[in-house]
Amino acid sequence: MASTEKESRFLTIVNDNRQLLYKVCYMYATDRDHFQDLYQEVLANIWEGLGAFRGDSALSTWLYRTALNTCVTFYRKHNRHSSEMTSLELADGLMADDGVRNEQLHEMYRLISKLSKIDKAIILMWLDERSYDEIAEVTGFTRNNVATRLRRIKQRLVDSGNRDE
Amino acid sequence: MDINELKNNWNSMSIPPDYHAGVTDDILSRVERGRVTTLRDRLGNISRMLSQICCVGVLLMIPYLHESPTLGILAIAFFIFMGVMHFRAYRRVSRLAFSEMTVREAILTVANIDRDRIRLRAIGMALGLPLAIYMCFTFSEVFGDYYLYGCVAGAVVGLGIGLLINRRAVNIIREMRAQLNPEQ
């Protein structure tokens, strides 16, 4: 792939899927510096893998795979434990149309931040209305395993949310 | 809390278009110019550097083949073995392709790479420490006892630093393996 053609394709993919990449990085970042590190790492891996992408899978599936793999394997030198306090700082960057839903999003973000990295990947794709098959393809679990884990994750989120009310 | 309602809200959520725009443009620019070092690059650079150091070690030990053939042969064999192992690790890391793996494969692969690095360090210490001690005693016969004391002190300090660094690597592996526990 020629350099300029690759650059053009890279910019198009990143700009068209910015929301997807931002949401993945937000889900795993614990503060703004961490977000920037993750986002940079994700973009670098997309750039490196772009030449090998032949369209065997959907572009969104490929981007999820690259972004999630980057985030779950990323390790910072001074790793702060993911907690509700750090996630709220980033949640301020998220916007909904009204204050009530904004509050609910913050709460959901706080609860999701407590999940393991694998569970975050599953719930994130479910929230983005990806099919069970696509989630299984990206995560490497079977479809039934994804369904079971998703059921547990949702129950845990509901229980945590009700407990805090 | 109605999780399906939250799912609908999630899809209406948006990151403000100008949020981090400046950061994004800067990152894009650096990525395109090849100025961003990824985790894979960092892991690979460590292994490649270590294999290069082993090559230097082989060259440094060649002159001592005349003075102490046993020491020279043992040391060269050690450096060749370690150099080959580090180069294999470098090749393995350089073939990491996050865009072609599942999330599960990525976590397992990176954890296994780090596990093998720790094992290699353990093998290196198990073979290298006796060799270093033998080297110290051999050289002390030629240069005097103070050489031996200095080598022992250096070995103790080096061992302590190495163990501290290894502890961090073990924590990385534990964290990555914990992600695959379905009960978490």
Side-chain angles (χ1 to χ4, degrees):
Chain A
M1 188 186 294
S3 177
T4 52
E5 184 186 333
K6 185 179 181 183
E7 281 179 20
S8 173
R9 193 178 175 208
F10 175 68
L11 285 171
T12 302
I13 287 174
V14 170
N15 287 326
D16 290 349
N17 296 278
R18 194 182 292 252
Q19 290 290 325
L20 183 160
L21 300 177
Y22 273 165
K23 284 182 184 178
V24 172
C25 293
Y26 266 119
M27 193 63 80
Y28 288 92
T30 53
D31 53 53
R32 287 177 190 268
D33 288 339
H34 192 192
F35 170 83
Q36 289 186 20
D37 290 343
L38 281 177
Y39 191 60
Q40 177 175 279
E41 192 95 357
V42 166
L43 292 186
N45 283 324
I46 290 173
W47 172 259
E48 285 183 9
L50 200 53
F53 178 59
R54 296 283 177 259
D56 299 333
S57 59
L59 179 62
S60 62
T61 302
W62 184 79
L63 286 173
Y64 265 118
R65 190 182 297 139
T66 306
L68 288 171
N69 285 343
T70 304
C71 291
V72 299
T73 56
F74 189 80
Y75 188 85
R76 302 172 83 195
K77 270 190 174 181
H78 306 291
N79 200 21
R80 293 169 62 185
H81 288 292
S82 176
S83 69
E84 57 246 49
M85 291 306 296
T86 54
S87 66
L88 281 176
E89 179 188 341
L90 278 168
D92 287 343
L94 309 175
M95 290 177 62
D97 294 339
D98 57 62
V100 174
R101 285 200 287 167
N102 226 9
E103 189 61 37
Q104 289 176 330
L105 285 171
H106 283 201
E107 178 62 14
M108 182 184 69
Y109 193 81
R110 184 184 70 83
L111 295 172
I112 290 176
S113 67
K114 296 180 182 178
L115 298 174
S116 70
K117 289 185 176 182
I118 284 276
D119 286 347
K120 278 183 190 176
I122 293 172
I123 195 67
L124 174 62
M125 294 189 74
W126 178 77
L127 286 170
D128 270 350
E129 297 184 332
R130 303 295 162 175
S131 67
Y132 280 24
D133 288 327
E134 188 175 354
I135 296 174
E137 185 182 348
V138 169
T139 59
F141 294 113
T142 62
R143 193 180 186 282
N144 287 343
N145 201 341
V146 167
T148 303
R149 290 181 81 111
L150 198 49
R151 195 165 51 245
R152 281 191 209 145
I153 293 166
K154 284 193 276 185
Q155 189 60 49
R156 198 180 310 155
L157 290 175
V158 169
D159 290 343
S160 297
N162 293 336
R163 199 165 43 238
D164 293 344
E165 281 174 2
Chain B
M1 185 174 74
D2 184 349
I3 199 151
N4 289 314
E5 184 186 342
L6 284 174
K7 183 181 180 182
N8 296 331
N9 293 340
W10 176 264
N11 291 318
S12 68
M13 180 184 75
S14 65
I15 312 256
D18 59 346
Y19 189 75
H20 277 189
V23 171
T24 301
D25 291 341
D26 177 51
I27 291 174
L28 279 172
S29 172
R30 282 192 279 128
V31 167
E32 287 172 345
R33 292 202 309 267
R35 297 240 176 120
V36 174
T37 307
T38 63
L39 167 70
R40 190 191 72 180
D41 295 335
R42 289 192 292 275
L43 288 177
N45 287 342
I46 290 172
S47 295
R48 189 182 60 195
M49 183 184 65
L50 289 171
S51 69
Q52 289 168 345
I53 288 173
C54 288
C55 289
V56 172
V58 170
L59 296 174
L60 286 176
M61 292 310 300
I62 289 176
Y64 292 98
L65 281 172
H66 295 292
E67 293 180 22
S68 179
T70 305
L71 174 63
I73 291 171
L74 287 174
I76 288 173
F78 170 78
F79 282 124
I80 289 176
F81 171 75
M82 294 301 292
V84 168
M85 297 303 289
H86 282 303
F87 186 74
R88 282 182 60 187
Y90 163 69
R91 290 287 304 275
R92 190 175 174 192
V93 169
S94 65
R95 283 199 292 264
L96 267 180
F98 283 152
S99 58
E100 295 172 17
M101 297 175 158
T102 66
V103 175
R104 201 162 177 268
E105 285 171 350
I107 291 178
L108 276 173
T109 302
V110 173
N112 287 338
I113 286 174
D114 275 335
R115 178 205 61 196
D116 291 342
R117 281 177 61 215
I118 288 181
R119 281 183 182 169
L120 187 58
R121 280 195 198 133
I123 292 171
M125 283 201 288
L127 295 177
L129 274 177
L131 179 64
I133 292 171
Y134 177 61
M135 190 184 298
C136 292
F137 279 110
T138 303
F139 285 155
S140 69
E141 287 180 11
V142 178
F143 300 109
D145 290 342
Y146 286 107
Y147 193 95
L148 174 64
Y149 302 148
C151 286
V152 170
V156 169
V157 171
L159 182 64
I161 294 172
L163 288 172
L164 279 174
I165 293 173
N166 267 342
R167 194 173 70 174
R168 175 171 289 177
V170 168
N171 288 337
I172 292 174
I173 291 179
R174 278 194 191 137
E175 181 184 333
M176 287 182 176
R177 288 195 180 277
Q179 305 310 318
L180 296 174
N181 185 343
E183 295 308 317
Q184 282 191 310

